[in-house]
């Protein structure tokens, strides 16, 4: 049997990971993804108390529900799913599971970057759609508004003949993956205050990078708008985006993989 990857063994472990994820975070996933419902209920209760009638949840409120749900999902799901691995008993039991470290790493990637966003999107879009169909005082499908707004905004970033490298849905998906992998690394790296320490680490790394860039270039970069064409600027911008995402995902994946290899109790 291959010590690195065996399809049958991986399938069994992935099923275990899915069941464990549902037990540890299933209710939280549904609760957070149903954020449009909670926003709508709160608006109705507040309006009944202060105005004596039902209120309207406008587009801004629906978009706020999406944003709050998105952020909460990224912050709390990694801790609920994998934060226990730093605990002595749970971590020891996990280490003894019959799967290679690579299989556990791959399962973690699939769960956080494929399964979770798919479930979250299905639930929040379903809640959004049902509210749109049932209530006239619900402004309408927030998902459509989000995609239309982002697409319009991103279409404004272009050269004469060169478009932005990523579409709005793809950019959102990349943001989901990048952020949830970051907080997953924090969840399995820090033993306590996982979210807080992850935020502090982000701040420290950002500060170091900014200082390093400042020291390297020393304020000597002086590019005037007339020195570069719109198309060349867009090509450089797209290249910068590709480099940023490739390097970020490579570092996060390596960090998670080597942390999995070094977890000991």
């Amino acid at each position: 049997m291959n010590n690195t990857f065996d399809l049958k063994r991986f399938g069994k472990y992935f099923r275990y990971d899915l069941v464990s994820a549902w037990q540890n975070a299933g209710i939280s996933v549904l609760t957070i993804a149903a954020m449009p419902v909670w926003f709508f209920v709160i608006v109705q209760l507040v309006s009944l108390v202060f105005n004596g009638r039902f209120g309207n949840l406008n587009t801004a409120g629906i978009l706020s529900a999406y944003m709050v749900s998105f952020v909460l999902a990224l912050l709390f799901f990694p801790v609920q799913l994998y934060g226990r691995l730093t605990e002595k008993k749970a971590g020891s039991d996990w280490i003894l599971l019959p799967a290679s470290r690579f299989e556990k790493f791959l399962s973690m990637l699939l769960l956080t970057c494929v399964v979770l966003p798919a479930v979250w999107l299905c639930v929040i879009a379903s809640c959004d759609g049902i509210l749109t169909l049932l209530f006239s005082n619900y402004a309408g499908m927030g998902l459509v508004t989000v995609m239309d707004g982002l697409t319009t905004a991103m279409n404004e970033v272009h050269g004469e003949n060169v478009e932005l490298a990523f579409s709005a849905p793809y950019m959102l998906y990349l943001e989901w993956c990048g952020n949830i992998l970051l907080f997953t690394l924090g969840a399995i790296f820090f033993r306590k205050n996982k979210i807080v320490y992850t935020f502090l680490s982000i701040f420290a790394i950002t500060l170091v990078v900014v200082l390093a860039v400042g020291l390297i270039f020393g304020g000597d970069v002086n590019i005037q708008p007339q020195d570069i064409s719109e198309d060349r600027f867009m090509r450089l911008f797209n290249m910068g985006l590709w480099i940023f995402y490739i390097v970020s995902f490579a570092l996060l994946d390596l960090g998670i993989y080597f942390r999995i290899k070094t977890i000991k109790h």
Side-chain angles (χ1 to χ4, degrees), residues 153-190:
M154 293 175 68
N155 285 341
E156 295 297 320
V157 183
H158 60 81
E160 294 179 359
N161 302 295
V162 181
E163 302 293 332
L164 192 63
F166 304 108
S167 64
Y170 192 44
M171 184 72 79
L172 276 178
Y173 179 65
L174 289 176
E175 287 300 311
W176 171 286
C177 292
N179 283 284
I180 203 164
L181 288 177
L182 178 60
F183 283 96
T184 299
L185 179 57
I188 63 176
F189 186 82
F190 299 111

Side-chain angles (χ1 to χ4, degrees), residues 28-29 32-33 66-78 81 108-122 124 168-184 244-245 249 252 256:
S28 297
V29 171
I32 291 175
Y66 266 83
M67 183 172 65
V68 170
S69 180
F70 189 84
V71 171
L72 290 179
L74 295 176
L75 292 179
F76 292 105
F77 288 170
L81 293 176
M108 191 177 290
L109 289 188
L110 289 175
L111 192 58
T112 56
C113 294
V114 179
V115 177
L116 268 176
V119 173
W120 176 84
L121 184 61
C122 287
I124 197 169
Y170 192 44
M171 184 72 79
L172 276 178
Y173 179 65
L174 289 176
E175 287 300 311
W176 171 286
C177 292
N179 283 284
I180 203 164
L181 288 177
L182 178 60
F183 283 96
T184 299
F244 171 76
Y245 281 118
F249 285 124
L252 289 170
I256 291 172

Side-chain angles (χ1 to χ4, degrees), residues 222-230:
N222 185 22
I223 299 177
Q224 300 298 324
Q226 62 269 22
D227 295 337
I228 185 171
S229 67
E230 290 184 1

Side-chain angles (χ1 to χ4, degrees), residues 5-77:
F5 183 81
D6 179 82
L7 185 60
K8 184 176 180 180
R9 183 179 62 200
F10 171 72
K12 290 181 179 179
Y13 175 77
F14 186 57
R15 285 195 296 272
Y16 162 82
D17 217 7
L18 288 174
V19 173
S20 179
W22 173 253
Q23 292 173 343
N24 290 318
I27 301 301
S28 297
V29 171
L30 298 180
T31 302
I32 291 175
M35 196 61 65
V37 175
W38 312 133
F39 267 56
F40 185 68
V41 170
I42 291 171
V43 167
Q44 302 315 310
L45 292 176
V46 171
S47 182
L48 284 172
V49 170
F50 290 99
N51 301 321
R53 55 184 174 80
F54 291 112
N56 297 317
L57 183 60
N58 57 25
T59 301
I62 299 172
L63 297 183
S64 297
Y66 266 83
M67 183 172 65
V68 170
S69 180
F70 189 84
V71 171
L72 290 179
L74 295 176
L75 292 179
F76 292 105
F77 288 170

